[in-house]
């Protein structure tokens, strides 16, 4: 931005295309005294694109070089009030004239400070050129929390777009609410879980067959067992693949049904919300919940819960097999487990903060 009153031939910061559009507007009358310039990254129609505010001694012009035209021209003497409004994810410079109120310039949040300075400079120009003061209003950043709500239990701040403290959420009640979406498809979920447990048990058989291969076939030279071991391995891997395919189909069907119910209920709830709800929240945050969070809930309900049960069951079976085979060797093999648990707990605390930071940034897009 500049407001030093340079002549047109000195305004090198203005693109040549913009200069040409301005000269054509003034019918190539020679040197045009450009007093104030400011670029923006959003057009007046709300789409991303280059837009320029050009103030001369007579007019305030809005030039959109992509469309090769001046989309708005207002006489400097008609300005009565200027306002910079910070919305969610974007902002707008509004001006009030004697007859109407119009959007002068739209901008993304990265241009917020520049637009406030432009509004002040434009107000100063009107005072110097026209001889009177205009009202100027710069609203507070809507993206910032003006008052901090704190949880009465833990004392931590509550995000402005949430009603309850995320740290004090009762996870059991939340899980119970989520399981309501699985309840209509209990048969699908139970069948998939049973198949998963069966597949897990089958996948442990090759280790036992390998033991027979090494101890009996190779060391004891019982070659007659080789055919049976190979046949058993083929049967195990074939049945494991078949069970895995059936389970994959069932979990996919379960996931799509849960996703349909989640989104249907969410869309119905959104339709009942007031306009102020959408005005006070960023569009990206709402879209992140509708699209991203719903998909993650679907994956958790269709696969995540089953994976937790399967992993727990797998650990129990492996421990039983280890201690049944050699208790001393099992204890030695389990020595690193406490270290792994401590590292996992620490890593989860760290990655949770990182994930929340990524989620907030993606919501601002």
């Amino acid at each position: 931005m500049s407001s030093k009153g340079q002549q047109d031939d000195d305004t090198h910061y203005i693109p040549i295309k913009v200069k040409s559009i301005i000269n054509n507007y003034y019918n190539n009358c020679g040197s045009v005294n450009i007093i104030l310039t400011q670029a923006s990254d959003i057009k007046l129609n709300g789409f991303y694109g280059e837009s320029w505010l050009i103030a001369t001694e007579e007019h305030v012009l809005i030039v959109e070089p992509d469309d090769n035209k001046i989309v708005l021209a207002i006489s400097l003497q008609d300005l009565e009030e200027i306002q910079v409004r910070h919305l969610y994810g974007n902002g707008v410079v509004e001006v009030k004239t004697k007859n109407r109120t119009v959007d002068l310039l739209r901008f993304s949040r990265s241009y917020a400070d520049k637009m406030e300075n432009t509004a002040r400079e434009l107000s100063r120009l009107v005072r110097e050129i026209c001889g009177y003061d205009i009202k100027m209003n710069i609203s507070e950043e809507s993206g910032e929390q003006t008052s901090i709500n704190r949880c009465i239990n833990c004392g931590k701040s509550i995000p402005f777009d949430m009603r309850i403290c995320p740290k004090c959420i009762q996870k059991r009640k939340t899980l119970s609410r989520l399981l309501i979406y699985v309840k209509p498809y209990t048969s699908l979920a139970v069948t998939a879980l049973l198949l998963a447990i069966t597949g897990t048990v089958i996948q442990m058989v090759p280790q036992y067959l390998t033991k027979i291969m090494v101890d009996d076939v190779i060391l004891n030279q019982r070659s007659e067992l080789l055919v049976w071991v190979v046949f058993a391995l083929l049967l195990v891997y074939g049945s494991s693949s078949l069970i895995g395919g059936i389970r994959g189909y069932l979990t996919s069907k379960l996931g799509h049904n849960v996703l349909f119910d989640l989104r249907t209920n969410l869309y119905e709830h959104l339709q009942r919300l007031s306009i102020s709800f959408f005005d006070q929240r960023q569009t990206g945050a709402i879209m992140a919940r509708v699209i991203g969070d719903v998909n993650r809930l679907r994956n958790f309900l269709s696969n995540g819960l089953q994976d937790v049960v399967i992993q727990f069951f797998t650990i129990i079976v492996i421990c039983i097999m280890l201690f049944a085979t050699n208790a001393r060797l099992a204890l030695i093999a389990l020595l690193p487990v406490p270290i792994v648990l401590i590292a996992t707990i620490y890593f989860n605390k760290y990655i949770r903060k990182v994930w929340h930071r990524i989620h907030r940034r993606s919501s601002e897009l």
Side-chain angles (χ1 to χ4, degrees):
M1 183 189 71
S2 176
S3 59
K4 297 180 181 179
Q6 296 102 321
Q7 297 297 318
D8 183 61
D9 55 356
D10 293 330
T11 55
H12 57 276
Y13 43 85
I14 305 177
I16 297 177
K17 191 173 184 179
V18 175
K19 293 182 183 180
S20 175
I21 296 173
I22 296 172
N23 289 332
N24 290 336
Y25 179 78
Y26 286 100
N27 296 321
N28 296 311
C29 61
S31 180
V32 179
N33 188 14
I34 297 177
I35 306 174
L36 176 66
T37 65
Q38 177 59 58
S40 181
D41 56 349
I42 301 180
K43 299 180 181 180
L44 282 180
N45 59 11
F47 290 94
Y48 282 102
E50 187 179 10
S51 181
W52 282 82
L53 180 148
I54 306 294
T56 67
E57 293 179 343
E58 300 176 358
H59 299 95
V60 176
L61 309 175
I62 301 300
V63 183
E64 293 182 356
D66 293 341
D67 299 327
N68 198 31
K69 63 179 181 180
I70 293 176
V71 296
L72 183 64
I74 300 176
S75 174
L76 203 63
Q77 296 180 350
D78 289 341
L79 297 181
E80 293 184 347
E81 183 178 349
I82 183 169
Q83 180 179 12
V84 180
R85 296 177 56 203
H86 295 285
L87 308 176
Y88 280 85
N90 67 94
V92 60
V93 179
E94 290 182 349
V95 292
K96 182 178 180 181
T97 66
K98 298 177 180 178
N99 302 320
R100 56 178 178 161
T101 299
V102 296
D103 292 346
L104 190 64
L105 209 59
R106 302 190 72 90
F107 56 91
S108 66
R109 299 180 69 176
S110 60
Y111 280 76
D113 293 338
K114 296 179 181 179
M115 293 303 168
E116 292 181 4
N117 293 333
T118 299
R120 296 186 183 96
E121 288 295 322
L122 194 57
S123 175
R124 183 183 63 80
L125 289 177
V126 173
R127 183 172 62 252
E128 292 179 355
I129 297 175
C130 303
Y132 63 90
D133 291 326
I134 63 173
K135 297 179 181 179
M136 186 178 67
N137 182 23
I138 298 178
S139 65
E140 294 183 356
E141 288 273 358
S142 297
E144 296 181 356
Q145 187 175 352
T146 55
S147 61
I148 300 178
N149 296 324
R150 295 193 176 275
C151 177
I152 59 176
N153 296 322
C154 66
K156 293 185 176 293
S157 60
I158 301 175
F160 76 96
D161 58 343
M162 297 184 66
R163 296 181 180 178
I164 56 179
C165 176
K167 184 177 179 60
C168 299
I169 290 178
Q170 296 182 357
K171 296 180 176 60
R172 290 184 179 180
K173 290 185 177 180
T174 303
L175 182 59
S176 299
R177 290 175 58 193
L178 291 176
L179 289 177
I180 294 175
Y181 290 96
V182 182
K183 189 175 181 180
Y185 315 104
T186 304
S187 58
L188 272 177
V190 172
T191 305
L193 179 60
L194 292 177
L195 288 175
I197 294 175
T198 304
T200 303
V201 174
I202 292 176
Q203 289 176 359
M204 296 180 183
V205 175
Q207 284 72 27
Y208 180 72
L209 294 176
T210 302
K211 173 182 176 298
I212 296 176
M213 177 81 71
V214 175
D215 294 344
D216 297 334
V217 176
I218 297 177
L219 296 180
N220 295 330
Q221 297 183 353
R222 297 179 61 184
S223 58
E224 69 276 6
L225 294 177
L226 179 61
V227 176
W228 293 103
V229 171
V230 173
F231 178 76
L233 285 172
L234 292 176
L235 184 62
V236 165
Y237 287 123
S239 59
S240 178
S241 299
L242 179 62
I243 291 175
I246 297 174
R247 176 181 176 260
Y249 169 77
L250 294 178
T251 53
S252 178
K253 186 176 181 179
L254 173 64
H256 282 88
N257 290 336
V258 170
L259 180 64
F260 177 80
D261 292 343
L262 277 170
R263 284 187 173 169
T264 300
N265 291 344
L266 181 57
Y267 290 149
E268 290 176 353
H269 181 68
L270 288 174
Q271 297 298 322
R272 294 192 296 268
L273 294 175
S274 62
I275 298 298
S276 61
F277 173 87
F278 298 97
D279 184 61
Q280 294 172 2
R281 287 163 175 80
Q282 295 184 11
T283 303
I286 298 175
M287 292 181 63
R289 292 181 181 274
V290 173
I291 299 175
D293 291 357
V294 170
N295 283 329
R296 280 185 280 272
L297 281 176
R298 169 240 179 158
N299 292 331
F300 172 72
L301 292 175
S302 60
N303 296 312
L305 287 176
Q306 292 188 16
D307 289 342
V308 171
V309 175
I310 293 169
Q311 296 301 326
F312 180 78
F313 176 78
T314 303
I315 292 174
I316 296 299
V317 173
I318 289 177
C319 289
I320 293 174
M321 293 178 63
L322 285 175
F323 281 98
T325 304
N326 191 322
R328 185 177 180 181
L329 186 61
L331 288 174
I332 296 175
L334 294 176
L335 282 178
V337 171
I339 300 175
V340 174
L341 288 176
I342 295 173
T344 302
I345 294 173
Y346 176 79
F347 178 76
N348 283 339
K349 291 182 179 180
Y350 172 76
I351 202 65
R352 184 178 182 182
K353 296 179 181 178
V354 174
W355 170 246
H356 284 176
R357 193 181 304 120
I358 294 174
H359 187 272
R360 287 194 298 268
R361 289 182 179 179
S362 64
S363 299
E364 294 176 357
L365 295 178

